[in-house]
Amino acid sequence: MKSFTIYNPVKIHFGNGMLAQAGSIAKKYSDNILIVTGKNSMQKTGTLDKLVKILKESGITVTVYDGITPNPTATEIDEAAKIAKQKKVGLIIGLGGGSPLDSAKAIAVAAKGDIPVWEYLKTPANDALPIITIVSTSGTGSEVNRYSVMTNPATGEKPGFGYECMYPKEAIIDPEITSSMPPYVTAATGFDVFVHIFEAFTGKAKNEFSSAYCMQAFYLLKDNLIKAYSEPDNMQARGDMALASALAGLAIDISGVSIMHAMEHPVSGNYPNIAHGAGLAVLALESMKYNLNACKRDYILIAHHFGIKRADKSDDEYAMSLIEKTKEILTALNLNVRLKDLGVEKDKLQKIAKEAFATMGFAIDNNPAVIDEKGVLKLLENSY
Ligand code: NZQ
Ligand code: MN
């Protein structure tokens, strides 16, 4: 029997209208706060103003850093950490999708030290400012896990890191905030949840706890991903996708991700205008085929829970039907395209394959089937 340790200290507040609690939650940690957010969405929807107002009404001094771009860079993080130090803030609130939330964690670490954030990839951090996440997408799971992903804009490298001090103290998951996601963002982030479930459920590091999170996340996702995409105002679907995102985020906190993420990070690292979930979508089918033999039983189980009819299909045929089903979902979400359609240049594939190993080695190691750099290049070429 496998031995393991699991730990997740994030206090989760879930529910429509939960944003209103932000003042009393934040006040427990500090009355001098930095909000970290993106450049557009939270301003346009009025959520940022609402949050600032709620915090100020609780007597909190608020500074806003709204320079985080999708697939955030280490430069932005260092810039915001400098502001956090200058203002001597005692709490970082991340407001937005995975990009601002990941940045908030990295800023919380960098603000405590005196080295550029990139150096924390090699230098373990033991201390960070407290972090609160207020999530606006249903995708990365960053709201409840310790991971942060950042890009080196000079090289395109996009590794993830996550130390114990980077767990958010508290997470506010208010589905109303996610309801403004446009269809493309809903589709891409929702497919990210699917891949988290899939990779945590099939990866070598899986265990009973991560699988339990995966199963409930899967049940919520299978009935609500396409619904949230095609009926943006359906608050039941939005709420269930927000739950699925958090559950899958807890699953990857335990068991990590594998090959699709290992390949996708260098894709969106080198092409920051590619959405993480859209990158995963173009890599999913080839990766699933590659791994089929290594985790056939898991595929069969997921196919069964999807409600796919077994009839007289062999194990291989039934496992393959999961890949067909995934293709249907991608088509329904308008994400069933090729790497070249996303603007990736063919002569970059070699660099992407190399970086998958150099920056995402832990995800390669977690893949159910062994794969080398040549194998990864082949998957990228087949997805091109
Ligand atoms: O940039 P702003 O103006 O905020 O707009 C964003 C952005 O354009 C917009 N958006 C977000 N919430 C919205 C909204 N628009 C309208 N209404 C809302 N409610 O959507 C766009 C994408 O946002 P972003 O935060 O970049 O997306 P996502 O949540 O997919 O996060 C992606 C980042 O998270 C990392 C990815 O690599 C990528 O850098 N990941 C983090 C993980 C983790 N911490 O565990 C795991 C994941 O596998 C992933 O790697
Ligand atoms: Mn992901």
Side-chain angles (χ1 to χ4, degrees), residues 88-251:
K88 297 189 167 54
V89 303
L91 171 70
I92 310 285
I93 296 187
L95 171 69
S99 297
L101 303 195
D102 284 6
S103 301
K105 297 172 192 172
I107 292 161
V109 168
K112 277 280 186 180
D114 49 15
I115 53 175
V117 71
W118 196 257
E119 294 189 20
Y120 286 104
L121 297 171
K122 296 234 165 69
T123 312
N126 303 310
D127 200 10
L129 287 172
I131 301 146
I132 289 176
T133 54
I134 304 180
V135 66
S136 72
T137 60
S138 295
T140 66
S142 183
E143 60 274 24
V144 294
N145 68 37
R146 67 194 186 282
Y147 302 129
S148 176
V149 181
M150 62 184 169
T151 299
N152 179 334
T155 62
E157 293 165 288
K158 191 188 182 199
F161 70 122
Y163 301 115
E164 205 167 299
C165 62
M166 291 163 69
Y167 278 108
K169 293 280 182 217
E170 311 205 18
I172 296 177
I173 306 176
D174 180 343
E176 281 171 4
I177 301 176
T178 69
S179 64
S180 56
M181 275 191 285
Y184 186 74
V185 177
T186 303
T189 55
F191 193 73
D192 191 19
V193 178
F194 178 84
V195 177
H196 294 163
I197 295 168
F198 194 80
E199 296 204 313
F201 193 70
T202 57
K204 283 188 188 149
K206 70 180 286 186
N207 64 38
E208 287 70 13
F209 290 84
S210 56
S211 295
Y213 284 133
C214 286
M215 270 318 199
Q216 187 57 43
F218 175 74
Y219 265 98
L220 292 163
L221 175 132
K222 84 180 174 69
D223 294 329
N224 292 292
L225 172 52
I226 294 172
K227 216 191 262 178
Y229 174 67
S230 52
E231 303 168 27
D233 298 327
N234 185 325
M235 282 312 295
Q236 171 265 318
R238 293 292 193 187
D240 283 347
M241 282 306 297
L243 286 169
S245 166
L247 288 162
L250 292 168

Side-chain angles (χ1 to χ4, degrees), residues 55-116:
L55 295 173
K56 285 193 172 159
E57 279 169 6
S58 295
I60 293 168
T61 304
V62 181
T63 305
V64 176
Y65 179 84
D66 62 355
I68 300 298
T69 54
N71 305 310
T73 66
T75 318
E76 295 157 11
I77 292 164
D78 282 327
E79 187 179 78
K82 205 168 141 193
I83 296 169
K85 280 187 193 173
Q86 278 165 358
K87 299 270 180 181
K88 297 189 167 54
V89 303
L91 171 70
I92 310 285
I93 296 187
L95 171 69
S99 297
L101 303 195
D102 284 6
S103 301
K105 297 172 192 172
I107 292 161
V109 168
K112 277 280 186 180
D114 49 15
I115 53 175

